[in-house]
Amino acid sequence: MVLVPVLAAVGLVAPSPAIADAGASSPRVAGPSHRTYFPSRIALPDGFTPEGLTIGRGTTVYVGSILDGAIWRGDLRTGRGAVLVPGVPGTDKAGLKVDAQDRLWTADFSGGGASVYHARTGALLARYRFTDQPGSLVNDLVITPRAVYFTDSTRPVLYVVPLGPGGRLPAGSAVRTLALSGPAAEPDAFANGIVTLPDGDLLVAQMLAGRLVRIDPATGASRAFDLGGYSVTRADGLVRRGRTLYVIRNLTNVVAVFRLSPGYDSATLVREITDVRLRVPATGDLFGPWLYVVNGRFDVEPTPSTDYDIVRLPAWQ
C-alpha cells in the first residue's frame, strides 16, 4: 500500500509490538431521568486506517480515514456508527473539525486542500485547493470565528480560509497562504496538530522537532513555546480546554497534559496519561470529563482486516 511508505518517509512508522486491547469500566452519566453507560471502547470498521477525530453536536463523533478519505460517524453513547462519506482512493484525510454551522471540515492530507461537508447528511458543500506542490501534506486544522487555519507538515506555511459574516463559506479565490518565519519555518520539523490560544495566537505541534511553536496568525511570525524542558517528540493531535492543553504523542502512546501560564507563553507539565489500550493514538477530542482518542496504529502494516478503535480516557485523572 502507498500509506506505509508515506508514513515511513515522514518518520511516523516505527517497529513496535501491538499493545493488547484492555477493557475499562464504563462510567454512569446522570441524565434527566435515567443513567446512561458510555462504552470505554468504540470499534471502527476493520481496515479503516483512521487519523482524524472530532466530536460534533450532542454525542456524535467523526473519524476520517488516511487511507481512502472515508468519514465514519458514530455515537459516543451507544458506540454504534456507520460510514457517512464513502472512501475514494486518492482522497486521504487527516485532521477534521465541526464548526458552529454543523459543517465538517477535513484536511485532505496529500490532496493539497480541504473539503467541507454537511455534518448530518455528508453532502459535499465546498472544496478548496491550497497547493499543487508535490509532497505537500495538509495535516490538521483549527476553526476560529473569522477563518480556518491548516498546517502543512512539509512546508513552512499555514493555509487560511477566511469566513464571511455568519461563517459564510468563501469562494476558492479567497484562500491565502500565510508564510511562516522563526522556528515554525525550520525544515523537517513536521508541523502537525494546531489549536488556538485564548489570546488569539495559534499553537502548532512540531512532531519530529519535539516542540510546540506559537504563531501570530496575522504575520506568521513564531517563537518556541516554553514547556519547561519537556520534549513532545511524536506530538500529533493537540486539544485545548481553557488553560489545559493535551498533547497526544502517537508512537510513544502518551498523552501529555499541560497547564498554560497566565500569559499563554509557556506551560507546565501536569501529568502523563498512559493506558494499555493506547495503540499509537493520532488525535482526540474532549467530551465532559473524558478525552476520546483514536488509535491510528501507525506501527503496523494496514490491511483490510486490521482492527482500529476509539478509546475513552479520564481527562482529569
Side-chain angles (χ1 to χ4, degrees), residues 56-116:
R57 293 185 178 181
T59 56
T60 305
V61 61
Y62 301 86
V63 179
S65 171
I66 203 169
L67 178 65
D68 63 5
I71 299 174
W72 181 90
R73 180 179 62 189
D75 190 323
L76 299 176
R77 181 176 53 83
T78 66
R80 295 191 293 269
V83 171
L84 175 68
V85 178
V88 176
T91 65
D92 43 318
K93 291 178 174 58
L96 60 163
K97 294 287 188 298
V98 176
D99 65 16
Q101 289 74 33
D102 205 28
R103 298 177 304 218
L104 179 64
W105 293 72
T106 69
D108 293 348
F109 204 51
S110 66
S115 300
V116 188

Side-chain angles (χ1 to χ4, degrees), residues 12-28:
L12 274 172
V13 173
S16 173
I19 299 175
D21 189 34
S25 60
S26 297
R28 291 181 293 178

